[in-house]
Amino acid sequence: VSDGDAGRLVERARGGDLRALARLVSLIEDGAPELRQIMRALAPATGRARVIGLTGAPGVGKSTITGALVKEYRSQGHRIGVLAVDPSSPFTGGALLGDRIRMQDHATDASVFIRSMASRGQLGGLAAATPQALRVLDAAGFDLILIETVGVGQAEVEIASLADSTIVLVAPGMGDAIQAAKAGILEVADVFAVNKADRPQAQQTVRDLRNMIALAPAAEGPQWKPPIVATVATTGEGVPELAARLDAHWSWLADTGERDRRRLARAREEVAALAVAALRQRMGRLPGGSGLDEVAGQVADGKLDPYAAADQLIGTLVTAKD
Ligand SMILES: Nc1nc2c(ncn2[C@@H]2O[C@H](COP(=O)(O)OP(=O)(O)OP(=O)(O)O)[C@@H](O)[C@H]2O)c(=O)[nH]1
Ligand SMILES: [Mg+2]
């Protein structure tokens, strides 16, 4: 892709061409060199989309709920982008969506763009690639973006935290909720969905979750008590209520100033992640003798302490040409 092609791709994507959009997301996954121009071209058109994250244990029903939410919000006239991010399997390609996501209803709808994300070369991995993909969808006029990610570890929590509102899905039986607590994903919840509510013990899970929330230490800043909604993703039961709770959270974010605060925090993380990744890359490119190996050798020999070595390395990095 040449510079001119990159510009045309952006134009086409902004004009509603879903294939151009798909190509842009691939360039992001690959960490293509054109990304700088692309991101510069996109920047003025970004900052409009509302982002909803969905996370939860494997198999809890994230994809099915996503499909049901797409249907719900589509009926309200939104243009919707869906990113399915699976950090545990970087090469799933389209398989994740093809097999799992239940949204055949939307396959031919130009107002819905669905994509699973992998990270093949992007500086900083998926945690850096996902916000760039969000920008592309945002600039292309998708006013609502859903991000599905498996909640099993820190990277997933980071991805969920890109969202304005995060749904944590839990299934009946306390296993999932305890898993969620261990993985630290309960703290990121703005709304809880107890999915598979057609199963026994759903009400017990709602109660257990309510107790867990009551015991959680209060967070800083304006208080929002995460509501709990029981859903049956496969039939759509509870999904309108879930959407209503999300809408209430969206309004709350605006009323309290949290929306801007979160977006600033998100941009800060995004820039910091890129900067750290760039420094790491620069470290790897330092000529022999002046870089990490040099100071590391001195530390190993007891000639230099590690703090002084780190200072020296940082000094070399900031003066090195990229
Ligand atoms: N009984 C019942 N089954 C459900 C419900 N929601 C989803 N399922 C089923 O649970 C299975 C997993 O659903 P998915 O939507 O693929 O779950 P997921 O969380 O996206 O799974 P991963 O992406 O693999 O983590 C599928 O067989 C669904 O049909 C529900 O509310 N009730
Ligand atoms: Mg899924």
Side-chain angles (χ1 to χ4, degrees):
V1 185
S2 74
D3 289 5
D5 287 344
R8 270 193 295 281
L9 268 180
V10 169
E11 277 307 299
R12 278 170 49 204
R14 298 208 52 204
D17 180 338
L18 297 187
R19 289 187 55 188
L21 203 55
R23 183 87 184 92
L24 284 173
V25 177
S26 296
L27 291 173
I28 289 166
E29 288 174 317
D30 294 342
E34 302 87 338
L35 279 183
R36 280 171 189 266
Q37 287 109 297
I38 290 170
M39 287 308 150
R40 196 180 311 131
L42 289 176
T46 58
R48 297 187 188 120
R50 167 182 170 193
V51 182
I52 297 175
L54 293 100
T55 191
V60 71
K62 297 178 293 298
S63 297
T64 318
I65 279 281
T66 299
L69 278 174
V70 167
K71 200 168 183 175
E72 176 70 23
Y73 279 116
R74 192 64 204 104
S75 73
Q76 298 177 19
H78 290 283
R79 289 189 71 210
I80 305 160
V82 178
L83 294 174
V85 180
D86 186 356
S88 55
S89 51
F91 300 109
T92 46
L96 198 97
L97 289 172
D99 301 345
R100 304 255 186 89
I101 212 162
R102 326 248 177 251
M103 38 179 59
Q104 287 81 352
D105 303 355
H106 313 291
T108 56
D109 185 345
S111 294
V112 180
F113 176 83
I114 304 165
R115 174 67 183 251
S116 67
M117 287 277 296
S119 167
R120 291 187 283 265
Q122 168 85 6
L123 210 58
L126 271 176
T130 309
Q132 310 310 323
L134 277 179
R135 288 177 183 285
V136 170
L137 295 185
D138 182 3
F142 290 90
D143 61 316
L144 191 73
I145 303 172
L146 302 174
I147 310 181
E148 174 194 338
T149 185
V150 185
V152 288
Q154 192 52 42
E156 296 76 356
V157 170
E158 275 172 30
I159 287 164
S161 75
L162 293 170
D164 295 301
S165 308
T166 299
I167 309 170
V168 170
L169 270 89
V170 171
M174 275 312 284
D176 264 5
I178 288 167
Q179 281 306 110
K182 276 193 194 144
I185 64 174
L186 290 188
E187 288 99 275
V188 302
D190 297 306
V191 177
F192 284 101
V194 174
N195 190 44
K196 308 195 181 183
D198 51 328
R199 292 196 175 164
Q201 297 187 334
Q203 279 318 308
Q204 185 57 45
T205 302
V206 170
R207 279 193 295 273
D208 291 342
L209 213 45
R210 196 170 288 143
N211 291 337
M212 264 191 173
I213 295 167
L215 290 174
E220 280 175 42
Q223 299 297 310
W224 165 265
K225 193 170 162 292
I228 306 169
V229 185
T231 58
V232 183
T234 39
T235 63
E237 205 181 313
V239 173
E241 193 195 336
L242 180 60
R245 299 297 189 158
L246 289 165
D247 293 346
H249 184 249
W250 179 238
S251 303
W252 177 85
L253 286 173
D255 295 345
T256 54
E258 266 294 282
R259 196 184 290 179
D260 291 339
R261 206 194 57 73
R262 286 191 183 196
R263 286 182 174 215
L264 183 65
R266 201 192 304 165
R268 200 187 288 134
E269 286 303 314
E270 194 181 347
V271 175
L274 283 176
V276 168
L279 278 178
R280 272 213 154 263
Q281 206 176 51
R282 209 178 270 192
M283 202 178 337
R285 281 202 305 260
L286 285 176
S290 66
L292 182 56
D293 286 347
E294 166 79 5
V295 289
Q298 293 179 29
V299 171
D301 290 345
K303 290 182 188 138
L304 195 63
D305 73 85
Y307 287 96
D311 287 345
Q312 202 173 309
L313 182 61
I314 290 168
T316 313
L317 286 174
V318 292
T319 50
K321 286 263 186 296
D322 200 9

